[in-house]
Coordinates of all heavy atoms in Angstrom, one line a residue:
M1 N 7.6 8.8 7.3 CA 6.2 8.7 7.1 C 5.5 10.0 7.1 O 6.0 10.9 7.7 CB 5.5 7.9 8.2 CG 5.8 6.4 8.2 SD 4.9 5.5 9.5 CE 6.1 5.7 10.8
S2 N 4.5 10.1 6.2 CA 3.8 11.4 6.1 C 2.5 11.4 6.9 O 2.1 10.4 7.4 CB 3.6 11.7 4.6 OG 2.7 10.8 4.0
K3 N 1.9 12.5 6.9 CA 0.6 12.7 7.5 C -0.5 11.9 6.8 O -0.5 11.7 5.6 CB 0.2 14.2 7.5 CG -1.0 14.5 8.3 CD -1.2 16.0 8.2 CE -2.6 16.3 8.9 NZ -2.9 17.7 8.8
L4 N -1.4 11.4 7.6 CA -2.5 10.6 7.0 C -3.4 11.4 6.1 O -3.7 12.5 6.4 CB -3.4 10.1 8.2 CG -4.6 9.3 7.7 CD1 -4.3 7.8 7.8 CD2 -5.8 9.5 8.6
N5 N -3.6 10.9 4.9 CA -4.5 11.5 3.9 C -5.9 10.9 4.1 O -6.2 9.9 3.5 CB -3.9 11.2 2.5 CG -4.8 11.8 1.4 OD1 -5.9 12.1 1.6 ND2 -4.2 12.0 0.2
R6 N -6.7 11.5 4.9 CA -8.0 10.9 5.3 C -8.9 10.8 4.1 O -9.6 9.8 4.0 CB -8.6 11.9 6.4 CG -10.1 11.5 6.7 CD -10.2 10.1 7.4 NE -9.4 10.0 8.6 CZ -9.1 8.8 9.1 NH1 -9.5 7.7 8.6 NH2 -8.4 8.8 10.2
A7 N -8.9 11.7 3.2 CA -9.8 11.7 2.0 C -9.4 10.5 1.2 O -10.3 9.7 0.7 CB -9.6 12.9 1.2
W8 N -8.1 10.2 1.0 CA -7.7 9.0 0.2 C -8.1 7.7 0.9 O -8.7 6.8 0.3 CB -6.2 9.0 -0.1 CG -5.8 8.0 -1.0 CD1 -5.8 8.1 -2.4 CD2 -5.5 6.6 -0.7 NE1 -5.4 6.9 -2.9 CE2 -5.3 5.9 -1.9 CE3 -5.4 5.8 0.5 CZ2 -4.9 4.6 -2.0 CZ3 -5.1 4.5 0.4 CH2 -4.9 3.9 -0.9
H9 N -7.9 7.6 2.2 CA -8.3 6.4 2.9 C -9.8 6.2 2.9 O -10.2 5.0 2.7 CB -7.8 6.5 4.4 CG -6.4 6.1 4.6 ND1 -6.1 4.8 4.9 CD2 -5.2 6.7 4.6 CE1 -4.8 4.7 5.0 NE2 -4.2 5.8 4.9
D10 N -10.5 7.2 3.0 CA -12.0 7.1 3.0 C -12.5 6.6 1.6 O -13.4 5.8 1.5 CB -12.7 8.4 3.3 CG -12.6 8.8 4.8 OD1 -12.1 7.9 5.6 OD2 -12.8 9.9 5.1
A11 N -11.8 7.1 0.6 CA -12.2 6.7 -0.8 C -11.6 5.3 -1.3 O -12.1 4.8 -2.2 CB -11.8 7.8 -1.8
H12 N -10.6 4.9 -0.5 CA -9.9 3.6 -1.0 C -9.7 2.7 0.2 O -8.5 2.4 0.6 CB -8.6 4.0 -1.6 CG -8.7 4.9 -2.8 ND1 -8.7 6.2 -2.7 CD2 -8.9 4.6 -4.1 CE1 -8.8 6.8 -3.9 NE2 -9.0 5.8 -4.7
P13 N -10.7 2.1 0.8 CA -10.5 1.2 1.9 C -9.9 -0.1 1.4 O -10.1 -0.5 0.2 CB -11.9 0.9 2.4 CG -12.8 1.2 1.2 CD -12.1 2.3 0.4
M14 N -9.1 -0.7 2.2 CA -8.6 -2.0 1.9 C -9.7 -3.0 1.9 O -10.6 -3.0 2.8 CB -7.6 -2.5 3.0 CG -7.0 -3.9 2.8 SD -5.9 -4.1 1.5 CE -4.4 -3.5 2.2
P15 N -9.8 -3.9 0.8 CA -10.9 -4.8 0.8 C -10.9 -5.8 2.0 O -9.8 -6.1 2.5 CB -10.7 -5.6 -0.5 CG -9.7 -4.8 -1.3 CD -9.0 -4.0 -0.3
A16 N -12.0 -6.3 2.4 CA -12.1 -7.3 3.4 C -11.5 -8.6 2.9 O -11.7 -9.0 1.7 CB -13.5 -7.6 3.8
N17 N -10.7 -9.2 3.7 CA -10.0 -10.5 3.3 C -9.3 -10.3 1.9 O -9.6 -11.1 1.0 CB -11.0 -11.6 3.3 CG -11.6 -11.9 4.6 OD1 -10.9 -11.9 5.6 ND2 -12.9 -12.0 4.7
P18 N -8.4 -9.4 1.7 CA -7.8 -9.1 0.4 C -6.9 -10.2 -0.1 O -6.3 -10.9 0.7 CB -7.0 -7.8 0.6 CG -6.6 -7.9 2.1 CD -7.8 -8.5 2.8
T19 N -6.9 -10.4 -1.4 CA -6.0 -11.3 -2.0 C -4.6 -10.7 -1.9 O -4.5 -9.4 -1.7 CB -6.3 -11.7 -3.4 OG1 -6.2 -10.4 -4.2 CG2 -7.7 -12.2 -3.5
L20 N -3.6 -11.4 -2.2 CA -2.2 -10.9 -2.3 C -2.2 -9.8 -3.4 O -1.6 -8.7 -3.2 CB -1.2 -12.0 -2.5 CG 0.3 -11.5 -2.5 CD1 0.6 -10.7 -1.2 CD2 1.2 -12.7 -2.7
D21 N -2.8 -10.1 -4.5 CA -2.8 -9.1 -5.6 C -3.5 -7.8 -5.1 O -3.0 -6.7 -5.5 CB -3.5 -9.6 -6.8 CG -2.7 -10.6 -7.6 OD1 -1.5 -10.7 -7.4 OD2 -3.3 -11.4 -8.4
Q22 N -4.6 -7.9 -4.4 CA -5.3 -6.7 -3.9 C -4.4 -5.9 -2.9 O -4.4 -4.7 -2.9 CB -6.6 -7.1 -3.3 CG -7.6 -7.5 -4.3 CD -8.9 -8.0 -3.6 OE1 -8.8 -8.8 -2.7 NE2 -10.0 -7.6 -4.0
R23 N -3.7 -6.7 -2.0 CA -2.8 -6.0 -1.1 C -1.7 -5.3 -1.7 O -1.4 -4.1 -1.4 CB -2.3 -7.1 -0.1 CG -3.3 -7.6 0.9 CD -2.6 -8.6 1.9 NE -1.8 -7.8 2.8 CZ -0.7 -8.3 3.3 NH1 -0.3 -9.5 3.1 NH2 0.0 -7.6 4.1
V24 N -1.1 -5.9 -2.7 CA 0.0 -5.3 -3.5 C -0.5 -4.0 -4.1 O 0.1 -2.9 -4.0 CB 0.6 -6.2 -4.5 CG1 1.5 -5.5 -5.5 CG2 1.4 -7.4 -3.8
E25 N -1.6 -4.1 -4.9 CA -2.2 -3.0 -5.5 C -2.5 -1.8 -4.6 O -2.2 -0.6 -4.8 CB -3.4 -3.4 -6.3 CG -4.0 -2.3 -7.1 CD -5.3 -2.7 -7.9 OE1 -5.3 -3.9 -8.3 OE2 -6.2 -1.9 -8.1
W26 N -3.2 -2.1 -3.5 CA -3.6 -1.2 -2.5 C -2.4 -0.4 -1.9 O -2.3 0.8 -1.8 CB -4.4 -1.8 -1.4 CG -5.0 -0.7 -0.5 CD1 -6.2 -0.2 -0.6 CD2 -4.5 -0.2 0.7 NE1 -6.5 0.7 0.4 CE2 -5.4 0.7 1.2 CE3 -3.2 -0.3 1.4 CZ2 -5.1 1.5 2.4 CZ3 -3.0 0.4 2.5 CH2 -3.9 1.3 3.0
H27 N -1.3 -1.2 -1.5 CA -0.2 -0.6 -0.9 C 0.6 0.2 -1.8 O 1.2 1.2 -1.4 CB 0.7 -1.7 -0.2 CG 0.1 -2.1 1.2 ND1 0.2 -1.3 2.3 CD2 -0.5 -3.2 1.5 CE1 -0.4 -1.9 3.3 NE2 -0.8 -3.1 2.9
L28 N 0.7 -0.2 -3.1 CA 1.4 0.7 -4.1 C 0.7 2.0 -4.2 O 1.3 3.1 -4.2 CB 1.4 0.0 -5.4 CG 2.4 -1.2 -5.6 CD1 2.2 -1.9 -6.9 CD2 3.9 -0.7 -5.4
A29 N -0.6 2.0 -4.3 CA -1.4 3.2 -4.4 C -1.3 4.1 -3.1 O -1.1 5.3 -3.1 CB -2.8 3.0 -4.8
H30 N -1.4 3.4 -2.0 CA -1.3 4.0 -0.7 C 0.0 4.8 -0.5 O 0.0 5.9 -0.1 CB -1.5 3.0 0.4 CG -1.3 3.6 1.8 ND1 -0.2 3.5 2.5 CD2 -2.2 4.3 2.5 CE1 -0.4 4.1 3.7 NE2 -1.6 4.6 3.7
T31 N 1.1 4.2 -0.9 CA 2.4 4.8 -0.8 C 2.5 6.1 -1.6 O 3.0 7.1 -1.1 CB 3.5 3.8 -1.2 OG1 3.4 2.7 -0.3 CG2 4.9 4.5 -1.0
V32 N 1.9 6.1 -2.8 CA 1.9 7.3 -3.6 C 1.0 8.4 -3.1 O 1.4 9.5 -3.1 CB 1.6 6.9 -5.1 CG1 1.3 8.1 -5.9 CG2 2.6 6.0 -5.7
H33 N -0.2 8.0 -2.6 CA -1.2 9.0 -2.3 C -1.3 9.3 -0.8 O -1.9 10.4 -0.5 CB -2.6 8.5 -2.8 CG -2.6 8.4 -4.3 ND1 -2.7 9.4 -5.1 CD2 -2.6 7.3 -5.0 CE1 -2.7 9.0 -6.3 NE2 -2.6 7.7 -6.3
C34 N -0.7 8.5 0.0 CA -0.8 8.8 1.5 C 0.6 8.6 2.1 O 1.2 9.5 2.6 CB -1.9 8.0 2.1 SG -2.1 8.4 3.9
G35 N 0.9 7.3 2.2 CA 2.2 7.0 2.8 C 2.3 7.2 4.3 O 3.4 7.5 4.8
C36 N 1.2 7.1 5.0 CA 1.2 7.4 6.5 C 1.9 6.2 7.2 O 2.2 6.4 8.4 CB -0.2 7.5 6.9 SG -1.3 6.1 6.8
R37 N 2.1 5.1 6.6 CA 2.9 4.0 7.2 C 3.6 3.3 6.1 O 3.3 3.4 4.9 CB 1.9 3.1 8.0 CG 0.9 2.4 7.1 CD 0.0 1.6 8.0 NE -1.0 1.0 7.1 CZ -2.3 1.4 7.1 NH1 -2.7 2.4 7.8 NH2 -3.1 0.7 6.3
P38 N 4.7 2.6 6.5 CA 5.4 1.8 5.5 C 4.7 0.6 4.9 O 3.8 0.1 5.6 CB 6.7 1.4 6.3 CG 6.3 1.4 7.7 CD 5.2 2.5 7.9
I39 N 5.2 0.2 3.8 CA 4.6 -1.0 3.2 C 5.0 -2.2 4.0 O 6.2 -2.3 4.4 CB 5.2 -1.2 1.7 CG1 4.7 -0.1 0.8 CG2 4.7 -2.5 1.1 CD1 5.3 0.0 -0.5
P40 N 4.1 -3.1 4.4 CA 4.4 -4.3 5.2 C 5.5 -5.2 4.6 O 5.6 -5.2 3.3 CB 3.1 -5.0 5.3 CG 2.1 -4.0 5.0 CD 2.7 -3.1 4.0
R41 N 6.3 -5.8 5.4 CA 7.4 -6.7 4.9 C 6.9 -7.7 3.9 O 7.6 -7.9 2.9 CB 8.0 -7.3 6.1 CG 9.2 -8.3 5.7 CD 9.8 -9.0 6.9 NE 8.8 -9.7 7.7 CZ 8.3 -10.9 7.4 NH1 8.8 -11.6 6.3 NH2 7.4 -11.5 8.2
L42 N 5.8 -8.4 4.2 CA 5.4 -9.4 3.2 C 5.0 -8.8 1.9 O 5.3 -9.5 0.8 CB 4.2 -10.2 3.8 CG 4.6 -11.0 5.1 CD1 3.3 -11.7 5.6 CD2 5.6 -12.1 4.7
V43 N 4.5 -7.7 1.8 CA 4.1 -7.0 0.6 C 5.4 -6.6 -0.1 O 5.6 -6.8 -1.3 CB 3.2 -5.8 0.8 CG1 2.9 -5.1 -0.5 CG2 1.8 -6.3 1.3
L44 N 6.4 -6.1 0.6 CA 7.7 -5.7 0.0 C 8.4 -6.9 -0.6 O 8.9 -6.8 -1.7 CB 8.6 -5.1 1.1 CG 8.3 -3.6 1.5 CD1 9.1 -3.2 2.7 CD2 8.4 -2.7 0.3
E45 N 8.3 -8.0 0.1 CA 8.9 -9.3 -0.4 C 8.2 -9.7 -1.7 O 8.9 -10.1 -2.7 CB 8.8 -10.4 0.6 CG 9.7 -10.2 1.8 CD 9.5 -11.2 2.9 OE1 8.7 -12.1 2.8 OE2 10.2 -11.0 4.0
E46 N 6.9 -9.5 -1.8 CA 6.2 -9.9 -3.0 C 6.5 -8.9 -4.1 O 6.7 -9.3 -5.3 CB 4.6 -9.9 -2.7 CG 3.8 -10.3 -3.9 CD 4.1 -11.7 -4.4 OE1 4.6 -12.6 -3.7 OE2 3.8 -12.0 -5.6
L47 N 6.7 -7.6 -3.8 CA 7.1 -6.7 -4.8 C 8.4 -7.1 -5.4 O 8.6 -7.0 -6.6 CB 7.1 -5.3 -4.3 CG 5.8 -4.6 -3.9 CD1 6.1 -3.3 -3.2 CD2 4.9 -4.4 -5.1
A48 N 9.4 -7.5 -4.6 CA 10.7 -7.9 -5.0 C 10.6 -9.1 -5.9 O 11.2 -9.2 -7.0 CB 11.6 -8.2 -3.8
R49 N 9.7 -10.1 -5.5 CA 9.5 -11.3 -6.3 C 9.0 -10.9 -7.7 O 9.3 -11.6 -8.7 CB 8.6 -12.3 -5.7 CG 9.2 -13.2 -4.7 CD 8.3 -14.3 -4.3 NE 7.3 -13.9 -3.3 CZ 7.4 -13.7 -2.1 NH1 8.6 -13.9 -1.5 NH2 6.4 -13.4 -1.3
R50 N 8.2 -9.9 -7.8 CA 7.6 -9.5 -9.0 C 8.4 -8.5 -9.8 O 8.1 -8.1 -10.9 CB 6.2 -8.8 -8.8 CG 5.2 -9.8 -8.2 CD 3.9 -9.1 -7.9 NE 2.9 -10.0 -7.3 CZ 1.6 -9.8 -7.2 NH1 1.1 -8.7 -7.7 NH2 0.8 -10.7 -6.6
G51 N 9.5 -8.1 -9.2 CA 10.4 -7.2 -9.9 C 9.9 -5.7 -9.9 O 10.2 -5.0 -10.8
I52 N 9.1 -5.4 -8.9 CA 8.5 -4.1 -8.8 C 9.2 -3.3 -7.8 O 9.3 -3.7 -6.6 CB 7.0 -4.1 -8.5 CG1 6.2 -4.9 -9.5 CG2 6.4 -2.8 -8.3 CD1 4.8 -5.3 -9.2
E53 N 9.7 -2.1 -8.1 CA 10.3 -1.2 -7.2 C 9.3 -0.4 -6.4 O 8.4 0.2 -7.0 CB 11.2 -0.2 -8.0 CG 12.1 0.7 -7.1 CD 13.2 0.0 -6.4 OE1 13.7 -1.0 -7.0 OE2 13.6 0.5 -5.4
P54 N 9.3 -0.4 -5.1 CA 8.3 0.3 -4.4 C 8.5 1.8 -4.7 O 9.6 2.4 -4.8 CB 8.7 0.1 -2.9 CG 9.6 -1.1 -2.9 CD 10.3 -1.1 -4.2
P55 N 7.3 2.5 -4.8 CA 7.4 4.0 -5.1 C 7.8 4.7 -3.9 O 7.8 4.3 -2.8 CB 5.9 4.3 -5.4 CG 5.1 3.2 -4.7 CD 6.0 2.0 -4.7
S56 N 8.3 6.0 -4.2 CA 8.6 6.9 -3.1 C 7.4 7.3 -2.3 O 6.3 7.6 -2.9 CB 9.3 8.1 -3.6 OG 10.5 7.8 -4.3
P57 N 7.5 7.3 -1.0 CA 6.3 7.7 -0.2 C 5.9 9.2 -0.5 O 6.7 10.0 -0.8 CB 6.8 7.6 1.2 CG 8.0 6.8 1.2 CD 8.6 7.0 -0.2
A58 N 4.6 9.4 -0.3 CA 4.0 10.7 -0.5 C 4.6 11.6 0.6 O 5.0 11.2 1.7 CB 2.5 10.7 -0.4
N59 N 4.6 12.9 0.3 CA 5.1 13.9 1.3 C 4.0 14.5 2.1 O 3.0 14.7 1.7 CB 6.0 14.9 0.7 CG 7.3 14.3 0.1 OD1 7.8 13.4 0.7 ND2 7.7 14.9 -1.0

């Protein structure tokens, strides 16, 4: 895991009561731009169902 990117988090909050599509989109972007924590298991499972390879975490 990398250091928290505060500016990215401030500009891109997770929506309240996000849909699965919103969660997937947010976590994909988060991993690229911050990566302060891993993608949750349920989101990883959904990525696999959709045939989407998780991106490499930000450094």
Side-chain angles (χ1 to χ4, degrees):
M1 286 183 278
S2 64
K3 185 177 174 184
L4 179 95
N5 180 340
R6 174 62 58 198
W8 188 89
H9 274 271
D10 289 347
H12 301 89
M14 174 71 81
N17 301 311
T19 65
L20 182 56
D21 286 341
Q22 288 173 313
R23 289 183 69 210
V24 166
E25 183 179 329
W26 189 91
H27 281 287
L28 287 173
H30 177 259
T31 299
V32 170
H33 297 284
C34 183
C36 65
R37 61 180 178 257
I39 297 173
R41 179 183 54 82
L42 293 176
V43 175
L44 286 173
E45 289 173 1
E46 182 61 22
L47 291 174
R49 274 192 286 280
R50 296 179 184 196
I52 299 171
E53 185 72 28
S56 297
N59 292 328

